[in-house]
Amino acid sequence: MSHLPAAYPAARLRRTRQSAAVRGLVRENSLTVDDLIWPIFVRDGEGVEEPVTSMPGVVRRSVDKIVEAAREANDLGIPAICLFPYTDPSKKTEDCAEAWNPDNLSNTATRAIKDAVPEIAVMTDVALDPYNINGHDGFVKDGKILNDETVEALVKQALSQAEAGADIIGPSDMMDGRIGAIRSALEENGHSEVMILSYAAKYASAFYGPFRDAVGASGALKGDKSTYQMDPGNSDEALRLVGRDLDEGADMVMVKPGMPYLDICRRVKDHFGVPTYAYQVSGEYAMIMGAAQNGWIDGDKAMVESLLGFKRAGCDGILTYFAPAVARKLNGL
Ligand code: PBG
């Protein structure tokens, strides 16, 4: 615990803030490129980079362009990228079969990256929403989200991603029991090295709006996700979820969204001491970029400060759309 060693003027806390040199010496936390996971959007076609309107600077890329992006990320020292597919509406169905198609966009992109840039870690998203005609992360029957049936589908999806070469599987669906089911299936099918980064404490948040545009799920979504994602008023429940997912075989855990939930990051890190990540989600990115584009804040400084906040809150890393921009800055480019 820190405490004030003496009374003023013996103690003048400004002494250690007097120059950049001294501030550097006493700085407790810092951001490095090793802390970054870059979420990127995949779409079909060739040579395509299509802007996402609500996320200035973010594009949906065809697989060839995804490979270029992975190469760029690797050159910048970014350790991992995370793939999210924009699925053509004609491939969205009630049974979500495209989710475990070995040749779907996510799997095709994973294979292409692992072929061209094997060093970079590829993380994939396990959830049915990009493939679901009603935009939900699970199967829907009579207006209810089915848990156990969904878990069976998620296992198939996760296995297809492992077969394609994913290094890290990221279940973002919030169904009960999915981590254990996916872990056993991975073990039984020769994928014991595949890691699971569980979206363990994922809140039902308004900050996902731009992402749902980016993956084409907003038009499709009927209702909200509050019967499976967490209530923003809860904190102890996050610890129960993280503990449960670790017991079921998660290697790393995530808190999502990021900036409004830094208290949860800190509690999780203090309580469990496991690799802990935060997702600075699309709406957080959009707020910073929107304000910066209007000249209301210094975008570069706000980017760095927002990401440093995650380190201070105890996170080991951050999923952020700023990854390449902040990596360039950290590399002095
Ligand atoms: C859904 C999923 C979401 C995000 C990642 N995976 C949105 C949702 O739960 O509706 C959000 C990411 C972001 O907003 O940047 N499986």
Side-chain angles (χ1 to χ4, degrees), residues 127-207:
L128 301 182
D129 55 320
Y131 312 99
N132 204 344
I133 198 143
N134 50 52
H136 277 289
D137 292 23
F139 293 131
V140 184
K141 197 175 170 201
D142 303 328
K144 291 207 166 139
I145 313 299
L146 303 178
N147 193 87
D148 301 6
E149 294 82 345
T150 298
V151 170
E152 282 174 34
L154 298 173
V155 167
K156 287 193 266 182
Q157 181 181 21
L159 278 179
S160 86
Q161 293 173 353
E163 298 291 340
D167 301 287
I168 305 171
I169 303 277
S172 70
D173 53 281
M174 289 294 280
M175 296 300 121
D176 285 323
R178 89 278 204 219
I179 301 297
I182 292 170
R183 176 52 77 210
S184 319
L186 290 172
E187 287 291 330
E188 280 159 22
N189 289 276
H191 297 296
S192 56
E193 286 182 357
V194 171
M195 289 159 273
I196 299 178
L197 199 179
S198 168
Y199 289 61
K202 178 174 177 181
Y203 288 83
S205 174
F207 289 96

Side-chain angles (χ1 to χ4, degrees), residues 262 304-315:
L262 291 178
V304 172
E305 185 180 333
S306 68
L307 293 168
L308 184 56
F310 290 106
K311 295 299 297 294
R312 198 184 58 243
C315 293

Side-chain angles (χ1 to χ4, degrees), residues 39 41 55 84 125-130 135 137 172-173 199 202-203 205 207-212 221 225 228-229 256 279-283 321:
F41 299 111
M55 300 177 73
F84 291 101
D125 185 55
V126 176
L128 301 182
D129 55 320
D137 292 23
S172 70
D173 53 281
Y199 289 61
K202 178 174 177 181
Y203 288 83
S205 174
F207 289 96
Y208 306 148
F211 173 95
R212 291 178 190 165
L221 183 62
K225 301 192 175 184
Y228 46 108
Q229 299 180 348
K256 177 182 175 192
Y279 198 143
Q280 183 183 49
V281 300
S282 56
Y321 301 98

Side-chain angles (χ1 to χ4, degrees), residues 236-291:
D236 290 344
E237 188 188 9
L239 300 185
R240 290 201 291 281
L241 285 162
V242 168
R244 189 266 317 260
D245 286 2
L246 290 170
D247 285 349
E248 290 185 17
D251 304 284
M252 308 177 260
V253 295
M254 188 199 297
V255 174
K256 177 182 175 192
M259 284 148 57
Y261 298 93
L262 291 178
D263 56 323
I264 307 299
C265 298
R266 171 48 67 196
R267 283 194 81 187
V268 166
K269 187 61 180 182
D270 284 350
H271 197 90
F272 296 99
V274 299
T276 302
Y277 299 82
Y279 198 143
Q280 183 183 49
V281 300
S282 56
E284 302 176 60
Y285 175 85
M287 282 196 302
I288 294 174
M289 289 301 284

Side-chain angles (χ1 to χ4, degrees), residues 2-78:
S2 62
H3 76 124
L4 198 58
Y8 168 85
R12 286 180 184 269
L13 294 180
R14 286 185 54 196
R15 283 193 199 105
T16 53
R17 287 179 227 139
Q18 63 185 278
S19 65
V22 176
R23 287 192 295 274
L25 272 179
V26 301
R27 186 167 301 125
E28 298 169 42
N29 297 285
S30 54
L31 180 71
T32 73
V33 288
D34 283 333
D35 302 323
L36 303 170
I37 300 178
W38 183 21
I40 48 179
F41 299 111
V42 198
R43 52 153 295 153
D44 56 9
E46 229 194 285
V48 186
E49 287 185 329
E50 172 189 35
V52 177
T53 319
S54 51
M55 300 177 73
V58 170
V59 296
R60 302 184 190 106
R61 296 171 165 85
S62 52
V63 171
D64 55 321
K65 291 286 177 182
I66 288 280
V67 171
E68 273 178 31
R71 202 169 274 126
E72 183 198 337
N74 191 53
D75 290 346
L76 286 166
I78 296 172

